[in-house]
Amino acid sequence: MSHGARVIRTGVSSGGPAAPPPVTVASSSAGSGAELMDGGYFRSCAGMLKVAPMISLLIGFISVNNSAWTDYSAYSFFQIVTMCDLVMILFFYIMHIFRVYRKLTCVSWPLAEFLHYLIGTILLLIGSIVAAAKSYNITGLVAGATFGFLATILCVISMWSSYKVSCITQSTSKYR
C-alpha cells in the first residue's frame, strides 16, 4: 500500500527571518476515506484489466445471440458462462470502485476474486472450445468463440498480474 508522498518543511534557514511553521502535505492515489468512489481505480491497470474482459464477453455474447445456432446446448452453455462471468467481473469492479472490501472485512475478498477468476476462466475456456468446435464456419458463432478466447486470455492476464506469487530466496545460514 502506498502511504503517499510527504513534504516536510523545516523552519531552519541559513539567514533571514524564520520560516513559517512546518507543513506536512500527504497525498494518496486512493484518496481519503470520506470519498465515496475511488476515481483512480478507473485509470489503473487493474481497473482496465477488468473492463477489457467485460467488453470482450459482451461482444461474444451478442455475436452468438444474434447468429443462427446449430447446436442449442453448446451455445446456451456459452451464453450462460459469458453472462455469469460478465456479471461477476462487474460485481468485483463495482466493489473496488466503491471500496466495499474495506467495509465488509468478514469476507476474504482477494480469495473470493481469485476463485471467481479461476473457476470462471476454466468454464469460459471450455465454453469457447465447444463453441468454436460447433460453429460450422458461421461468422457470428466464430466471432463469439474468438471473443470468448480473448476474454479467457484477458482473465488469465488479470489473474496472473493480481495474484502472482513472488518467490523469495531464504538464507541458509543458521542463527545461533
Side-chain angles (χ1 to χ4, degrees):
M1 262 193 259
S2 172
H3 295 286
R6 293 185 181 192
V7 177
I8 300 173
R9 296 184 188 173
T10 61
V12 179
S13 169
S14 61
V23 177
T24 303
V25 177
S27 65
S28 174
S29 63
S32 67
E35 292 179 9
L36 179 63
M37 291 178 60
D38 185 4
Y41 191 74
F42 292 115
R43 295 176 301 276
S44 72
C45 184
M48 288 185 216
L49 274 175
K50 282 193 184 357
V51 172
M54 285 192 292
I55 292 171
S56 179
L57 287 168
L58 186 62
I59 293 171
F61 175 81
I62 292 171
S63 298
V64 167
N65 194 41
N66 292 333
S67 298
W69 292 4
T70 55
D71 189 356
Y72 181 77
S73 62
Y75 290 106
S76 61
F77 176 75
F78 181 80
Q79 285 186 318
I80 290 169
V81 168
T82 55
M83 278 299 104
C84 287
D85 245 6
L86 186 130
V87 168
M88 288 305 295
I89 293 171
L90 182 65
F91 171 76
F92 284 114
Y93 185 72
I94 290 171
M95 186 192 70
H96 280 287
I97 289 175
F98 290 108
R99 298 183 184 135
V100 175
Y101 59 90
R102 290 184 181 176
K103 294 172 184 68
L104 295 173
T105 57
C106 59
V107 177
S108 176
W109 291 109
L111 180 62
E113 192 170 2
F114 175 75
L115 289 175
H116 156 259
Y117 271 116
L118 184 67
I119 294 168
T121 303
I122 291 170
L123 289 175
L124 187 59
L125 179 64
I126 292 169
S128 297
I129 289 171
V130 171
K134 303 278 185 168
S135 66
Y136 303 112
N137 292 330
I138 299 172
T139 56
L141 301 178
V142 172
T146 303
F147 280 104
F149 283 122
L150 178 64
T152 303
I153 292 168
L154 290 170
C155 286
V156 168
I157 291 170
S158 179
M159 186 172 43
W160 180 79
S161 67
S162 297
Y163 307 104
K164 61 184 170 186
V165 178
S166 61
C167 298
I168 301 172
T169 57
Q170 297 178 355
S171 90
T172 56
S173 64
K174 294 181 182 178
Y175 296 102
R176 294 181 192 200

mmCIF file of all heavy atoms in Angstrom, residues 1-6 25-33 35-45 96-97 99 101-102:
data_model
loop_
_atom_site.group_PDB
_atom_site.id
_atom_site.type_symbol
_atom_site.label_atom_id
_atom_site.label_comp_id
_atom_site.label_asym_id
_atom_site.label_seq_id
_atom_site.Cartn_x
_atom_site.Cartn_y
_atom_site.Cartn_z
ATOM 1 N N MET A 1 0.830 -1.167 0.000
ATOM 2 C CA MET A 1 0.000 0.000 0.000
ATOM 3 C C MET A 1 0.874 1.228 0.000
ATOM 4 O O MET A 1 1.868 1.280 0.697
ATOM 5 C CB MET A 1 -0.851 0.016 1.261
ATOM 6 C CG MET A 1 -2.232 -0.510 1.059
ATOM 7 S SD MET A 1 -3.245 -0.118 2.448
ATOM 8 C CE MET A 1 -3.212 -1.668 3.271
ATOM 9 N N SER A 2 0.476 2.222 -0.714
ATOM 10 C CA SER A 2 1.202 3.467 -0.763
ATOM 11 C C SER A 2 0.604 4.429 0.250
ATOM 12 O O SER A 2 -0.603 4.612 0.318
ATOM 13 C CB SER A 2 1.113 4.071 -2.170
ATOM 14 O OG SER A 2 1.658 5.363 -2.162
ATOM 15 N N HIS A 3 1.466 5.014 1.052
ATOM 16 C CA HIS A 3 1.001 5.972 2.035
ATOM 17 C C HIS A 3 1.073 7.389 1.504
ATOM 18 O O HIS A 3 0.778 8.337 2.201
ATOM 19 C CB HIS A 3 1.819 5.859 3.316
ATOM 20 C CG HIS A 3 1.616 4.543 3.991
ATOM 21 N ND1 HIS A 3 0.458 4.238 4.663
ATOM 22 C CD2 HIS A 3 2.389 3.446 4.056
ATOM 23 C CE1 HIS A 3 0.546 3.025 5.144
ATOM 24 N NE2 HIS A 3 1.711 2.511 4.783
ATOM 25 N N GLY A 4 1.498 7.563 0.279
ATOM 26 C CA GLY A 4 1.532 8.877 -0.338
ATOM 27 C C GLY A 4 2.857 9.574 -0.116
ATOM 28 O O GLY A 4 3.698 9.167 0.668
ATOM 29 N N ALA A 5 3.036 10.660 -0.809
ATOM 30 C CA ALA A 5 4.260 11.445 -0.697
ATOM 31 C C ALA A 5 4.094 12.481 0.392
ATOM 32 O O ALA A 5 3.028 13.059 0.568
ATOM 33 C CB ALA A 5 4.555 12.116 -2.027
ATOM 34 N N ARG A 6 5.170 12.726 1.118
ATOM 35 C CA ARG A 6 5.133 13.715 2.182
ATOM 36 C C ARG A 6 6.207 14.756 1.932
ATOM 37 O O ARG A 6 7.336 14.431 1.619
ATOM 38 C CB ARG A 6 5.371 13.066 3.533
ATOM 39 C CG ARG A 6 4.247 12.160 3.925
ATOM 40 C CD ARG A 6 4.455 11.641 5.292
ATOM 41 N NE ARG A 6 3.340 10.761 5.606
ATOM 42 C CZ ARG A 6 3.082 10.308 6.801
ATOM 43 N NH1 ARG A 6 3.861 10.620 7.806
ATOM 44 N NH2 ARG A 6 2.053 9.531 7.010
ATOM 45 N N VAL A 25 2.212 17.791 3.912
ATOM 46 C CA VAL A 25 1.202 17.563 2.885
ATOM 47 C C VAL A 25 1.265 16.099 2.503
ATOM 48 O O VAL A 25 2.311 15.609 2.120
ATOM 49 C CB VAL A 25 1.457 18.444 1.641
ATOM 50 C CG1 VAL A 25 0.436 18.137 0.572
ATOM 51 C CG2 VAL A 25 1.441 19.903 2.026
ATOM 52 N N ALA A 26 0.173 15.408 2.633
ATOM 53 C CA ALA A 26 0.134 13.990 2.252
ATOM 54 C C ALA A 26 -0.884 13.822 1.146
ATOM 55 O O ALA A 26 -1.994 14.322 1.227
ATOM 56 C CB ALA A 26 -0.244 13.116 3.451
ATOM 57 N N SER A 27 -0.483 13.118 0.109
ATOM 58 C CA SER A 27 -1.419 12.821 -0.967
ATOM 59 C C SER A 27 -1.423 11.332 -1.201
ATOM 60 O O SER A 27 -0.415 10.669 -1.029
ATOM 61 C CB SER A 27 -1.028 13.561 -2.250
ATOM 62 O OG SER A 27 0.198 13.073 -2.709
ATOM 63 N N SER A 28 -2.555 10.843 -1.586
ATOM 64 C CA SER A 28 -2.687 9.413 -1.824
ATOM 65 C C SER A 28 -3.488 9.204 -3.096
ATOM 66 O O SER A 28 -4.422 9.936 -3.377
ATOM 67 C CB SER A 28 -3.391 8.755 -0.641
ATOM 68 O OG SER A 28 -3.650 7.412 -0.924
ATOM 69 N N SER A 29 -3.120 8.187 -3.858
ATOM 70 C CA SER A 29 -3.855 7.903 -5.085
ATOM 71 C C SER A 29 -5.240 7.351 -4.793
ATOM 72 O O SER A 29 -6.142 7.440 -5.594
ATOM 73 C CB SER A 29 -3.068 6.919 -5.958
ATOM 74 O OG SER A 29 -2.928 5.701 -5.271
ATOM 75 N N ALA A 30 -5.400 6.757 -3.618
ATOM 76 C CA ALA A 30 -6.698 6.191 -3.277
ATOM 77 C C ALA A 30 -7.649 7.236 -2.740
ATOM 78 O O ALA A 30 -8.846 7.021 -2.697
ATOM 79 C CB ALA A 30 -6.531 5.059 -2.257
ATOM 80 N N GLY A 31 -7.136 8.371 -2.326
ATOM 81 C CA GLY A 31 -7.991 9.422 -1.794
ATOM 82 C C GLY A 31 -8.273 9.185 -0.328
ATOM 83 O O GLY A 31 -7.795 8.249 0.292
ATOM 84 N N SER A 32 -9.042 10.058 0.253
ATOM 85 C CA SER A 32 -9.360 9.925 1.663
ATOM 86 C C SER A 32 -10.470 8.909 1.856
ATOM 87 O O SER A 32 -11.177 8.537 0.938
ATOM 88 C CB SER A 32 -9.781 11.296 2.217
ATOM 89 O OG SER A 32 -10.997 11.685 1.624
ATOM 90 N N GLY A 33 -10.636 8.498 3.106
ATOM 91 C CA GLY A 33 -11.645 7.500 3.410
ATOM 92 C C GLY A 33 -13.058 8.053 3.304
ATOM 93 O O GLY A 33 -14.021 7.319 3.266
ATOM 94 N N GLU A 35 -14.261 9.785 0.801
ATOM 95 C CA GLU A 35 -14.750 9.769 -0.573
ATOM 96 C C GLU A 35 -15.580 8.522 -0.823
ATOM 97 O O GLU A 35 -15.279 7.448 -0.324
ATOM 98 C CB GLU A 35 -13.590 9.801 -1.559
ATOM 99 C CG GLU A 35 -12.829 11.101 -1.558
ATOM 100 C CD GLU A 35 -11.663 11.072 -2.535
ATOM 101 O OE1 GLU A 35 -11.568 10.115 -3.319
ATOM 102 O OE2 GLU A 35 -10.856 11.996 -2.490
ATOM 103 N N LEU A 36 -16.616 8.687 -1.625
ATOM 104 C CA LEU A 36 -17.488 7.555 -1.928
ATOM 105 C C LEU A 36 -16.882 6.631 -2.968
ATOM 106 O O LEU A 36 -16.961 5.417 -2.867
ATOM 107 C CB LEU A 36 -18.843 8.062 -2.422
ATOM 108 C CG LEU A 36 -19.868 7.000 -2.803
ATOM 109 C CD1 LEU A 36 -20.231 6.166 -1.581
ATOM 110 C CD2 LEU A 36 -21.101 7.635 -3.383
ATOM 111 N N MET A 37 -16.224 7.210 -3.973
ATOM 112 C CA MET A 37 -15.680 6.411 -5.075
ATOM 113 C C MET A 37 -14.167 6.564 -5.156
ATOM 114 O O MET A 37 -13.618 7.594 -4.803
ATOM 115 C CB MET A 37 -16.293 6.850 -6.404
ATOM 116 C CG MET A 37 -17.742 6.515 -6.543
ATOM 117 S SD MET A 37 -18.448 7.082 -8.078
ATOM 118 C CE MET A 37 -17.464 6.243 -9.273
ATOM 119 N N ASP A 38 -13.527 5.526 -5.655
ATOM 120 C CA ASP A 38 -12.092 5.550 -5.899
ATOM 121 C C ASP A 38 -11.889 5.891 -7.367
ATOM 122 O O ASP A 38 -11.931 5.020 -8.229
ATOM 123 C CB ASP A 38 -11.488 4.190 -5.559
ATOM 124 C CG ASP A 38 -9.975 4.173 -5.675
ATOM 125 O OD1 ASP A 38 -9.393 5.239 -5.954
ATOM 126 O OD2 ASP A 38 -9.389 3.110 -5.488
ATOM 127 N N GLY A 39 -11.690 7.161 -7.668
ATOM 128 C CA GLY A 39 -11.548 7.616 -9.045
ATOM 129 C C GLY A 39 -10.289 7.115 -9.712
ATOM 130 O O GLY A 39 -10.235 6.986 -10.927
ATOM 131 N N GLY A 40 -9.268 6.819 -8.946
ATOM 132 C CA GLY A 40 -8.017 6.327 -9.510
ATOM 133 C C GLY A 40 -8.107 4.907 -10.033
ATOM 134 O O GLY A 40 -7.294 4.492 -10.854
ATOM 135 N N TYR A 41 -9.087 4.157 -9.547
ATOM 136 C CA TYR A 41 -9.213 2.763 -9.978
ATOM 137 C C TYR A 41 -9.665 2.667 -11.432
ATOM 138 O O TYR A 41 -9.335 1.711 -12.114
ATOM 139 C CB TYR A 41 -10.196 2.011 -9.069
ATOM 140 C CG TYR A 41 -10.170 0.529 -9.293
ATOM 141 C CD1 TYR A 41 -9.106 -0.233 -8.829
ATOM 142 C CD2 TYR A 41 -11.178 -0.120 -9.988
ATOM 143 C CE1 TYR A 41 -9.058 -1.600 -9.040
ATOM 144 C CE2 TYR A 41 -11.139 -1.478 -10.203
ATOM 145 C CZ TYR A 41 -10.085 -2.208 -9.726
ATOM 146 O OH TYR A 41 -10.025 -3.549 -9.946
ATOM 147 N N PHE A 42 -10.402 3.662 -11.926
ATOM 148 C CA PHE A 42 -10.829 3.672 -13.330
ATOM 149 C C PHE A 42 -9.631 3.635 -14.268
ATOM 150 O O PHE A 42 -9.640 2.953 -15.277
ATOM 151 C CB PHE A 42 -11.647 4.931 -13.653
ATOM 152 C CG PHE A 42 -12.976 4.991 -12.987
ATOM 153 C CD1 PHE A 42 -13.240 5.978 -12.054
ATOM 154 C CD2 PHE A 42 -13.964 4.078 -13.287
ATOM 155 C CE1 PHE A 42 -14.475 6.054 -11.448
ATOM 156 C CE2 PHE A 42 -15.198 4.147 -12.675
ATOM 157 C CZ PHE A 42 -15.452 5.133 -11.747
ATOM 158 N N ARG A 43 -8.607 4.422 -13.926
ATOM 159 C CA ARG A 43 -7.439 4.563 -14.796
ATOM 160 C C ARG A 43 -6.313 3.594 -14.469
ATOM 161 O O ARG A 43 -5.310 3.564 -15.166
ATOM 162 C CB ARG A 43 -6.914 5.995 -14.700
ATOM 163 C CG ARG A 43 -7.898 7.022 -15.231
ATOM 164 C CD ARG A 43 -7.402 8.436 -15.026
ATOM 165 N NE ARG A 43 -7.143 8.787 -13.640
ATOM 166 C CZ ARG A 43 -8.063 9.216 -12.775
ATOM 167 N NH1 ARG A 43 -9.315 9.323 -13.164
ATOM 168 N NH2 ARG A 43 -7.740 9.528 -11.539
ATOM 169 N N SER A 44 -6.455 2.806 -13.422
ATOM 170 C CA SER A 44 -5.399 1.881 -13.038
ATOM 171 C C SER A 44 -5.357 0.679 -13.980
ATOM 172 O O SER A 44 -6.327 0.379 -14.689
ATOM 173 C CB SER A 44 -5.606 1.411 -11.600
ATOM 174 O OG SER A 44 -6.706 0.536 -11.523
ATOM 175 N N CYS A 45 -4.237 0.000 -13.965
ATOM 176 C CA CYS A 45 -4.064 -1.184 -14.809
ATOM 177 C C CYS A 45 -5.058 -2.279 -14.402
ATOM 178 O O CYS A 45 -5.659 -2.933 -15.256
ATOM 179 C CB CYS A 45 -2.634 -1.686 -14.700
ATOM 180 S SG CYS A 45 -2.265 -3.080 -15.769
ATOM 181 N N HIS A 96 -14.588 -2.712 -6.046
ATOM 182 C CA HIS A 96 -13.336 -1.970 -5.939
ATOM 183 C C HIS A 96 -13.562 -0.467 -6.063
ATOM 184 O O HIS A 96 -12.906 0.310 -5.381
ATOM 185 C CB HIS A 96 -12.347 -2.422 -7.006
ATOM 186 C CG HIS A 96 -11.641 -3.686 -6.657
ATOM 187 N ND1 HIS A 96 -10.661 -3.753 -5.708
ATOM 188 C CD2 HIS A 96 -11.786 -4.945 -7.124
ATOM 189 C CE1 HIS A 96 -10.215 -4.976 -5.608
ATOM 190 N NE2 HIS A 96 -10.897 -5.732 -6.455
ATOM 191 N N ILE A 97 -14.463 -0.060 -6.939
ATOM 192 C CA ILE A 97 -14.711 1.371 -7.133
ATOM 193 C C ILE A 97 -15.301 2.002 -5.871
ATOM 194 O O ILE A 97 -14.882 3.069 -5.447
ATOM 195 C CB ILE A 97 -15.643 1.606 -8.343
ATOM 196 C CG1 ILE A 97 -14.882 1.308 -9.628
ATOM 197 C CG2 ILE A 97 -16.161 3.038 -8.361
ATOM 198 C CD1 ILE A 97 -15.734 1.380 -10.860
ATOM 199 N N ARG A 99 -15.147 0.721 -2.851
ATOM 200 C CA ARG A 99 -14.357 0.285 -1.687
ATOM 201 C C ARG A 99 -15.178 -0.524 -0.683
ATOM 202 O O ARG A 99 -15.055 -0.359 0.524
ATOM 203 C CB ARG A 99 -13.739 1.484 -0.995
ATOM 204 C CG ARG A 99 -12.793 2.252 -1.846
ATOM 205 C CD ARG A 99 -12.183 3.361 -1.033
ATOM 206 N NE ARG A 99 -11.345 4.170 -1.890
ATOM 207 C CZ ARG A 99 -11.344 5.481 -1.885
ATOM 208 N NH1 ARG A 99 -12.105 6.135 -1.054
ATOM 209 N NH2 ARG A 99 -10.553 6.150 -2.692
ATOM 210 N N TYR A 101 -14.835 -3.601 -0.061
ATOM 211 C CA TYR A 101 -13.955 -4.536 0.631
ATOM 212 C C TYR A 101 -13.413 -3.960 1.933
ATOM 213 O O TYR A 101 -13.039 -4.706 2.828
ATOM 214 C CB TYR A 101 -12.800 -4.963 -0.279
ATOM 215 C CG TYR A 101 -11.934 -3.820 -0.762
ATOM 216 C CD1 TYR A 101 -10.828 -3.417 -0.053
ATOM 217 C CD2 TYR A 101 -12.241 -3.147 -1.935
ATOM 218 C CE1 TYR A 101 -10.042 -2.367 -0.483
ATOM 219 C CE2 TYR A 101 -11.460 -2.105 -2.384
ATOM 220 C CZ TYR A 101 -10.360 -1.715 -1.648
ATOM 221 O OH TYR A 101 -9.585 -0.670 -2.075
ATOM 222 N N ARG A 102 -13.388 -2.643 2.078
ATOM 223 C CA ARG A 102 -12.940 -2.029 3.329
ATOM 224 C C ARG A 102 -14.012 -2.093 4.405
ATOM 225 O O ARG A 102 -13.707 -2.078 5.586
ATOM 226 C CB ARG A 102 -12.550 -0.574 3.102
ATOM 227 C CG ARG A 102 -11.301 -0.406 2.306
ATOM 228 C CD ARG A 102 -10.932 1.045 2.204
ATOM 229 N NE ARG A 102 -9.737 1.229 1.403
ATOM 230 C CZ ARG A 102 -9.245 2.399 1.091
ATOM 231 N NH1 ARG A 102 -9.828 3.506 1.504
ATOM 232 N NH2 ARG A 102 -8.153 2.474 0.358
#
